[in-house]
Amino acid sequence: MYSEIKNYLKNNLSEKRYTHTLAVAEECMYFADIFGLGEHERDVLNRAALFHDITKEKTPDEHICLCRVYNIEFDKAYLSTPALFHSLTGGVFARELFPTVCTDEVCELIDTHTTGRENMTLLQKILFLADSTEATRRHESCIELRAYFHDNAADNDPKILLDRAVVKNLDGTISYLLRTGKEIAVDTVKARNYLLKNSEVIK
Ligand code: DGI
Ligand code: FE
Ligand code: FE
């Protein structure tokens, strides 16, 4: 099953996006080991990682069309930021191609991989973070975040470390959006506030 999906991705994504996709899947399995996840959760993570950027290279018009066809509501912030669209359309698009593989559990992870969301599940946090900490990312903030988690994983409660790393990732995105004058999605703010209020992220 995975080889069929990989074949599709290899033939339909740029080489860079394809390499990133495989690296996210590998990074998700690193987190799966850290958190001792079972077979089912590993499988859901793997599928979501493979599909997470399946529509990243589509045009804004193609995204709008997918939203119309599938009755997906989107914030007007998404029109000025096409980068946000792909997390909304990825699930429905993947499901059209691989209906039995892209289950609701898988879609739930794809939905939140870009902005995060209030009260995320462990698997949602893992995909959200793995997207930035995968080994082929070259951006300095991603390299730092990868080192932050990987270097501290052995001697910290991994759940708290994960929450801290998710907040750091959100902080980095928010700083970037402020620097470049872009709109901050409500889910991005809610994801951060929720963790500050409900998790032991502050030492
Ligand atoms: O798809 P990837 O490149 O692997 O990574 P991603 O899904 O995290 O997408 C990154 C892009 O999403 C990047 O251009 C910044 C943008 N982004 C993330 N959160 C927000 C956002 N853009 C806006 N305007 N608002 C957000 O809250
Ligand atoms: Fe993405
Ligand atoms: Fe990605």
Side-chain angles (χ1 to χ4, degrees):
M1 170 188 74
Y2 288 147
S3 62
E4 201 188 323
I5 299 169
K6 284 181 189 167
N7 240 342
Y8 171 85
L9 297 172
K10 195 172 172 48
N11 292 324
N12 289 277
L13 298 182
S14 64
E15 200 181 328
K16 187 167 176 241
R17 187 59 48 188
Y18 179 63
T19 309
H20 161 70
T21 297
L22 296 188
V24 172
E26 197 169 310
E27 182 72 353
C28 280
M29 290 306 101
Y30 159 79
F31 285 116
D33 288 342
I34 296 270
F35 287 96
L37 300 185
E39 272 317 302
H40 176 72
E41 287 168 306
R42 294 175 80 91
D43 188 35
V44 170
L45 259 183
N46 232 325
R47 295 177 191 203
L50 290 176
F51 289 140
H52 86 282
D53 278 342
I54 196 166
T55 55
K56 175 85 183 192
E57 291 169 338
K58 299 220 170 283
T59 63
D61 280 350
E62 285 175 299
H63 285 298
I64 292 169
C65 189
L66 281 166
C67 286
R68 289 219 178 101
V69 170
Y70 290 100
N71 264 328
I72 302 171
E73 279 184 33
F74 57 88
D75 193 286
K76 84 169 180 10
Y78 284 42
L79 289 172
S80 56
T81 321
L84 290 177
F85 259 134
H86 76 288
S87 57
L88 280 185
T89 56
V92 291
F93 186 77
R95 183 171 286 180
E96 194 166 278
L97 295 173
F98 301 97
T100 57
V101 186
C102 193
T103 58
D104 287 350
E105 277 178 295
V106 174
C107 281
E108 191 179 75
L109 307 197
I110 301 170
D111 277 353
T112 52
H113 90 267
T114 302
T115 58
R117 181 173 296 170
E118 218 168 23
N119 197 11
M120 282 192 279
T121 64
L122 174 62
L123 297 193
Q124 284 177 313
K125 289 177 194 170
I126 289 176
L127 180 61
F128 176 80
L129 194 60
D131 193 17
S132 295
T133 60
E134 58 91 344
T136 72
R137 286 278 199 203
R138 286 291 157 257
H139 197 276
E140 204 181 316
S141 62
C142 294
I143 294 170
E144 266 173 32
L145 193 62
R146 178 178 172 82
Y148 176 76
F149 193 96
H150 285 245
D151 293 353
N152 293 304
D155 14 83
N156 281 276
D157 176 340
K159 284 212 162 120
I160 297 176
L161 192 62
L162 183 74
D163 284 348
R164 287 192 181 136
V166 168
V167 170
K168 276 181 184 291
N169 203 18
L170 289 162
D171 287 352
T173 301
I174 292 168
S175 304
Y176 158 77
L177 296 169
L178 290 175
R179 267 199 320 276
T180 52
K182 292 193 176 128
E183 199 161 334
I184 302 170
V186 174
D187 282 332
T188 302
V189 177
K190 283 189 176 170
R192 181 174 184 274
N193 286 351
Y194 184 90
L195 286 169
L196 292 186
K197 269 190 217 138
N198 298 290
S199 175
E200 294 171 53
V201 285
I202 302 164
K203 275 182 205 165

